[in-house]
Amino acid sequence: IKVSIGGFAFVLDKKAHQVLDDYMFSLSEFYANNVSRDEIIAAIEERIAELLIERGFSNKLVDEFAVNGIIATLGTTDNLGNPYDELGTGGRRHLYRDLKNKKLSGVCAGLGAYFSVDPVIFRLIFTVGTVLLILFEFAPLFFPIVYLIMYFVMPPAVTAQQRCDMRGEPNSLKGIQSRIESG
């Protein structure tokens, strides 16, 4: 069965389609009274598509085993409890270059995600710092060298799990809901 998940086309076998359809229906029912319901469901679909693509199912048949693996990764509504409970983060953050929000190479965007601040702050620090050091003729290459070192040291956040780890949020339904509800 050909389906669109998170804006991407996939081909699922009948059993996989039924399992995924039941899963999405249970999520829809669970979030029925949540004001952010449509956004949460759309974000869950995007995460499902990301996980399917990462696991190599963009060009091959998605089977029931693959769908159950995605569900195991994200969790079920049984793991959530009340959707209005306070939701925590996934734990320890990891430093990655943020390729989704990059302007140059993702270093400043990754620092912004890691420290939970707007990446513009880091962009300004690097730009203004470089200009000031050039104007005052004091170590004019300091900031560009630091930027280059960070580029080579910080790995890129390629997978959905790495992007979640960068922000310290769980790669689960709880993490998606938390991110949507916090804006």
Side-chain angles (χ1 to χ4, degrees):
I1 300 171
K2 293 180 181 179
V3 297
S4 175
I5 303 171
F8 293 92
F10 295 96
V11 179
L12 282 72
D13 70 21
K14 288 184 181 183
K15 187 68 175 165
H17 181 266
Q18 185 62 49
V19 170
L20 187 59
D21 194 45
D22 291 346
Y23 181 66
M24 294 307 295
F25 179 77
S26 72
L27 293 173
S28 184
E29 290 290 309
F30 184 79
Y31 290 112
N33 296 324
N34 190 312
V35 295
S36 302
R37 174 187 174 269
D38 293 337
E39 287 179 88
I40 293 170
I41 296 297
I44 292 169
E45 280 192 23
E46 288 174 15
R47 184 65 52 81
I48 290 170
E50 285 178 341
L51 292 170
L52 285 170
I53 291 168
E54 286 173 10
R55 295 174 184 188
F57 288 99
S58 56
N59 296 324
K60 65 181 185 179
L61 182 70
V62 179
D63 58 12
E64 180 185 6
F65 181 74
V67 171
N68 284 328
I70 300 291
I71 293 170
T73 298
L74 294 177
T76 64
T77 56
D78 297 336
N79 307 106
L80 287 173
N82 184 336
Y84 301 105
D85 285 347
E86 186 165 334
L87 301 170
T89 62
R92 195 174 140 206
R93 295 170 187 258
H94 298 276
L95 192 56
Y96 289 101
R97 284 186 289 121
D98 186 357
L99 302 181
K100 292 235 181 213
N101 299 309
K102 72 179 184 172
K103 294 294 181 198
L104 188 58
S105 65
V107 169
C108 293
L111 289 169
Y114 183 80
F115 291 108
S116 298
V117 297
D118 193 335
V120 172
I121 292 170
F122 289 101
R123 291 180 184 126
L124 286 171
I125 289 170
F126 279 102
T127 304
V128 172
T130 301
V131 170
L132 288 175
L133 291 178
I134 289 171
L135 288 176
F136 292 109
E137 298 177 4
F138 180 76
L141 295 178
F142 176 75
F143 282 105
I145 289 172
V146 168
Y147 189 90
L148 278 173
I149 290 170
M150 293 180 89
Y151 172 77
F152 288 111
V153 171
M154 293 169 60
V158 179
T159 67
Q161 183 64 51
Q162 290 170 335
R163 287 189 296 278
C164 289
D165 289 345
M166 182 172 54
R167 290 184 297 276
E169 55 185 43
N171 184 23
S172 64
L173 296 176
K174 191 175 269 195
I176 294 168
Q177 178 183 346
S178 176
R179 191 182 80 236
I180 296 296
E181 290 180 343
S182 67

